[in-house]
Amino acid sequence: MHHSIGDMIADCLQNSVEANASRIVLTVSETPQWLDVRIEDNGKGMSDEEMKRATDPFYTDGVKHKHRKVGLGLPFLIQTVEATDSTWNLRSKKGEGTILSFRLNLRHIDLPPVGDLPLAFFSAMIFDGSYELVIHRSYNGSCETEYTVTRSELKEALGSFEDAEALALLKQFLTDQESDIKEIKNGEINTGRTAQNARSREKTD
């Protein structure tokens, strides 16, 4: 079961890897109100019928996820989107690849927490398989809070992802990349609380 948006993103990326994609591009753009996610891969793609099955929570082929009784990844995402005034779109062509995009309303009370995005990115980097993963991350459209990381470059710099030290360095690197965004978001929250407290004091006075 998914506990955060980060879990959903990691699950969708795993779908791309399992679809034999050699290149996957993840774009995560955020503002104070919206989280926009786009996953594009060049995997085996899906027919219209296969897309219908992929969005059915009660369908499983018993092969892709052997330990699941039902398919929870994409259907769970769609359920979350529909319950939170958000949107989603799925496009796929057999033999060419798939594009999944969704926009989540961060201000909706029923939206699950965003969670640990660096951990989600870390998980996606270390799936089994030979694939390129490119992650573009940005916040509020500022060049000061955006970064791009590439799986092949990280593997070249850190070595095998089967090595414990390399994995520790990878996790720390991804966390550090997100730190500027986290700092600005925390500053916005604190600024908002200060303004709210000031308004409360004015009403009291």
Side-chain angles (χ1 to χ4, degrees):
M1 182 59 75
H2 303 87
H3 299 289
S4 71
I5 304 304
D7 294 331
M8 295 184 207
I9 293 174
D11 186 274
C12 292
L13 289 169
Q14 186 173 9
N15 288 342
S16 293
V17 174
E18 293 177 345
N20 298 322
S22 62
R23 181 176 174 82
I24 307 164
V25 179
L26 167 67
T27 304
V28 182
S29 306
E30 186 178 355
T31 70
Q33 180 169 2
W34 301 104
L35 184 72
D36 290 288
V37 179
R38 176 186 169 96
I39 299 172
E40 182 174 359
D41 71 54
N42 65 349
K44 60 186 179 183
M46 293 179 285
S47 65
D48 291 343
E49 183 61 32
E50 286 172 326
M51 280 194 286
K52 289 180 181 178
R53 292 200 298 264
T55 57
D56 181 355
F58 300 105
Y59 174 80
T60 178
D61 58 11
V63 176
K64 184 177 177 183
H65 300 295
K66 295 181 180 179
H67 302 294
R68 294 186 187 181
K69 297 300 183 184
V70 294
L72 294 176
L74 190 53
F76 189 85
L77 169 64
I78 295 170
Q79 180 184 4
T80 299
V81 166
E82 293 177 345
T84 57
D85 296 329
S86 303
T87 59
W88 68 281
N89 182 264
L90 178 66
R91 290 181 290 159
S92 190
K93 190 169 183 180
K94 196 72 173 177
E96 294 188 12
T98 300
I99 300 175
L100 169 66
S101 59
F102 51 96
R103 163 171 273 201
L104 299 174
N105 184 354
L106 295 173
R107 293 178 177 171
H108 198 286
I109 191 171
D110 293 326
L111 188 74
V114 173
D116 189 340
L117 288 182
L119 181 59
F121 300 160
F122 171 81
S123 298
M125 287 284 179
I126 63 173
F127 291 140
D128 288 336
S130 177
Y131 59 94
E132 178 68 288
L133 172 61
V134 181
I135 299 175
H136 302 294
R137 171 77 165 115
S138 63
Y139 181 76
N140 233 6
S142 171
C143 61
E144 296 180 354
T145 53
E146 66 177 12
Y147 62 86
T148 298
V149 293
T150 304
R151 186 175 189 252
S152 60
E153 293 179 352
L154 290 173
K155 290 192 77 171
E156 182 178 353
L158 301 176
S160 172
F161 286 169
E162 295 180 0
D163 179 77
E165 183 176 356
L167 291 176
L169 290 172
L170 173 63
K171 184 178 292 186
Q172 186 59 54
F173 175 79
L174 294 172
T175 299
D176 290 344
Q177 293 297 302
E178 191 75 10
S179 61
D180 287 344
I181 293 177
K182 185 176 181 180
E183 185 175 328
I184 288 178
K185 288 170 65 176
N186 288 340
E188 289 176 348
I189 292 172
N190 292 334
T191 299
R193 287 174 178 170
T194 300
Q196 185 177 18
N197 291 338
R199 289 194 293 271
S200 297
R201 286 196 296 271
E202 288 175 359
K203 291 179 181 180
T204 303
D205 294 342

